[in-house]
Amino acid sequence: MPLATAEADAHSLVSAARDLIHIDDPQTAGLWPRAAALLGRQAIEAAMADLWRLSAPGLEDTSAKCQLLCLSHFLGDPDLAGRVHATWHGLTRSCHIQVYELAPTAAELEGWLETAWALADHVHRIRDRVASLSPI
């Protein structure tokens, strides 16, 4: 099953997730951590879908595991790829409600969202590089 099914800008998704973390509203108590986690995961998936469109069309139709394993090669940054892999799994676990697990903390989410933002930035730089190489 493909990861990203809808077009969305990764930076916008991360910004929306960060907004949820900083809103102090009793009506969203207990809801915002999982909503922010979902937006963070969608940001990673949107950035990877953009990367695959640029670098390896068709890869977006493979499993999440396959995409995450290929990430290091296409990013050219093994450290970032490893952080994205761990972050995607952390966010995925946080999206699934387990009665015996606490929702992620704001600090955990901030770290994960920082990684999602870094991936979006890296893919944006790749997009700019590809655009500068293509003939007009």
Side-chain angles (χ1 to χ4, degrees):
M1 173 173 246
L3 284 175
T5 57
E7 293 296 319
D9 173 61
H11 286 108
S12 297
L13 290 165
V14 172
S15 293
R18 285 180 172 156
D19 289 346
L20 283 174
I21 293 171
H22 299 291
I23 294 173
D24 187 20
D25 183 349
Q27 292 183 337
T28 63
L31 301 175
W32 65 264
R34 297 203 196 280
L38 181 61
L39 289 169
R41 190 178 93 170
Q42 288 177 332
I44 288 174
E45 293 170 357
M48 287 196 310
D50 196 18
L51 177 64
W52 305 142
R53 279 190 294 277
L54 293 166
S55 306
L59 197 54
E60 68 274 7
D61 295 328
T62 64
S63 70
K65 183 176 184 176
C66 178
Q67 291 183 43
L68 291 166
L69 288 172
C70 294
L71 199 55
S72 179
H73 173 75
F74 287 96
L75 285 180
D77 186 340
D79 179 59
L80 177 58
R83 289 191 341 253
V84 168
H85 194 141
T87 296
W88 187 87
H89 283 288
L91 290 167
T92 297
R93 279 191 315 275
S94 296
C95 291
H96 299 284
I97 298 174
Q98 303 294 333
V99 294
Y100 51 85
E101 288 185 19
L102 297 173
T105 65
E108 287 174 312
L109 286 164
E110 285 288 354
W112 289 336
L113 295 174
E114 184 178 313
T115 298
W117 190 272
L119 174 64
D121 280 348
H122 196 94
V123 172
H124 186 76
R125 286 192 299 275
I126 291 171
R127 186 181 327 114
D128 288 347
R129 200 172 326 131
V130 169
S132 71
L133 296 175
S134 61
I136 298 178

